[in-house]
Amino acid sequence: MNIHVVSTGLSRGKDLEALKRQGDFRKATHNMMLAWLSIEEALQPLAGRLAMDAMVLGSGFGELEVTRNFLKGLAESGLARPLLFQNSLHNATLGFLAMKLALTGPSITVSNRCFTGENCLEAAMLLLQQGQCRSCLVTGVDALIPELAPALNAIYPVPVTLGEGAATLLLVNDAGQRQLGLPILATLHDVTYDWNATGQADAEIFSHGYYEADAIEILVERLRAGTHLTGTTLGLAKPDGSRSIVHWSLGAG
């Protein structure tokens, strides 16, 4: 069964402050807002027809800001705030977004360090191939927490510097493509991995500010730069020198 990309969205360049002023986002976290901005753009071609069957969201660090606030409050007051703890969980981001989108189908949160985005693609492709859904949003998001940035940056080799962002792909199977009627941007075939680490990260690849789920954003950027695409594979380098390889083709494949 073919799995197609029919729309994309990015959070970069969007007005986060305007979103904060909306009532629905009064208590939303930074992760939730970044993710929503990318989803909103990906859904624009549907012109209000919210026909999503499923969603897979990936985040390497999850709701790190809320986790920090929960642990800080626990250390200072000895009080473990249950609502704050609940909102610190990795799947809290997707819970908010699923309610916002009124999703009733499968909603899956994935977190696997630098391969988070790729694992999201694999989960969504499996749902679509098995007929569990006809359309699936795939979003990768991670927020940069300034207070924690020095400690987190120490985990990664030079020249990797942590950034933040969110990106979304709208994936469909053949039935979903007929339902939505959107042009096919690319067809996804497989994701493979090269574990033979070189021990050296690529400065150019990580110059934008690396985040653990950024594979989705890189895919979106490459799709939008279509004239620069060559071949049918896209290698995504990781901080430890390993990489993933996305096997795809432009158009209907």
Side-chain angles (χ1 to χ4, degrees):
M1 182 181 293
N2 293 318
I3 307 300
H4 308 295
V5 180
V6 293
S7 188
T8 65
L10 292 173
S11 67
R12 292 191 188 276
K14 304 295 190 303
D15 190 350
L16 195 66
E17 293 304 315
L19 193 63
K20 291 178 181 179
R21 294 191 289 271
Q22 297 182 25
D24 288 354
F25 294 90
R26 184 171 60 88
K27 294 185 178 180
T29 66
H30 199 59
N31 265 12
M32 294 171 185
M33 289 186 285
L34 286 174
W36 176 254
L37 289 171
S38 72
I39 292 168
E40 191 174 42
E41 182 178 11
L43 294 179
Q44 283 179 356
L46 296 179
R49 294 180 294 128
L50 291 180
M52 296 304 98
D53 296 330
M55 182 172 179
V56 179
L57 180 136
S59 181
F61 288 118
E63 290 292 353
L64 198 55
E65 182 175 20
V66 185
T67 300
R68 179 205 62 186
N69 293 340
F70 170 78
L71 293 174
K72 182 178 179 181
L74 180 61
E76 292 178 349
S77 67
L79 178 64
R81 296 171 60 188
L83 182 59
L84 200 60
F85 173 74
Q86 176 180 315
N87 289 342
S88 74
L89 303 178
H90 271 61
N91 59 5
T93 313
L94 181 54
F96 172 85
L97 296 169
M99 288 190 291
K100 178 72 176 170
L101 292 165
L103 284 178
T104 57
S107 298
I108 299 172
T109 299
V110 175
S111 182
N112 185 22
R113 291 297 302 268
C114 60
F115 293 114
T116 293
E118 292 87 343
N119 291 170
C120 283
L121 286 176
E122 293 174 301
M125 291 172 69
L126 189 61
L127 288 173
L128 290 160
Q129 287 166 347
Q130 292 185 341
Q132 299 296 316
C133 59
R134 291 176 292 182
S135 57
C136 184
L137 287 168
V138 181
T139 300
V141 60
D142 273 300
L144 180 64
I145 312 303
E147 298 90 337
L148 302 179
L152 292 175
N153 273 314
I155 299 173
Y156 301 95
V158 176
V160 177
T161 300
L162 284 179
E164 67 176 15
T168 296
L169 294 169
L170 174 52
L171 302 185
V172 297
N173 55 24
D174 292 331
Q177 198 278 327
R178 290 192 295 270
Q179 177 193 27
L180 299 181
L182 298 179
I184 296 171
L185 304 177
T187 299
L188 297 174
H189 304 296
D190 194 13
V191 181
T192 57
Y193 300 91
D194 180 1
W195 308 109
N196 296 318
T198 64
Q200 183 176 2
D202 188 318
E204 183 179 352
I205 291 175
F206 299 110
S207 61
H208 69 283
Y210 168 80
Y211 60 97
E212 301 265 84
D214 70 353
I216 306 300
E217 180 169 346
I218 296 172
L219 282 169
V220 171
E221 290 177 338
R222 296 297 176 89
L223 272 173
R224 293 184 177 186
T227 55
H228 303 293
L229 288 171
T230 58
T232 57
T233 61
L234 173 62
L236 301 175
K238 302 302 175 181
D240 65 357
S242 63
R243 66 172 186 155
S244 65
I245 304 98
V246 177
H247 302 264
W248 65 351
S249 52
L250 294 183

